[in-house]
Amino acid sequence: MPEPHPAQGPHGTAPRRLKPAPLLFEPTAAVADEAHFFDLESIEDPRELLSRSTELVLAFRAATDRAMEFQAMAAAQLADPRRFDRLTPAVIAERAEWTEDYAKKMVEFGRELMRGGGDATD
């Protein structure tokens, strides 16, 4: 599992926000037929296949980074000592299927994001 950190672009610059690649078919169709993946198997031109698959990779990476930021913020909120029902890092780790050390890092990362030190709160 990657270390929690804000996504960075080349040379440590802020990342470009990429527009997610459009879905070409209903995602539930992929469950019924595992041979289909965003209709890539139907693209015959290797240039077009490379272009479309690259768009998907970039979109999934951007989505992963954003989702991780929201995970961190949720972990920080759940661990907030001001909450009467706050959770320990061990419980957060169990719920998120992380190690306890990773949960602690995510809580700190989430606190940083909520203070305005990251992307998800922009």
Side-chain angles (χ1 to χ4, degrees), residues 36-75:
H36 294 284
F37 186 74
F38 291 92
D39 219 20
L40 293 177
E41 69 286 342
S42 69
I43 299 174
E44 294 182 18
D45 178 8
R47 289 177 196 88
E48 184 182 346
L49 179 59
L50 178 62
S51 176
R52 177 70 179 138
S53 59
T54 300
E55 286 176 354
L56 286 168
V57 166
L58 294 174
F60 287 137
R61 283 181 188 159
T64 298
D65 289 344
R66 293 287 289 171
M68 184 173 47
E69 290 172 351
F70 283 101
Q71 278 185 313
M73 289 190 303

Side-chain angles (χ1 to χ4, degrees), residues 102-121:
Y102 187 78
K104 290 175 185 176
K105 290 178 183 180
M106 287 294 275
V107 167
E108 287 306 313
F109 178 48
R111 288 178 179 155
E112 179 184 325
L113 288 170
M114 292 188 304
R115 284 191 299 266
D119 295 322
T121 57

Side-chain angles (χ1 to χ4, degrees), residues 9-24:
H11 313 294
T13 61
R16 275 187 325 170
R17 286 288 177 221
L18 301 172
K19 180 180 170 191
L23 298 177
L24 297 178

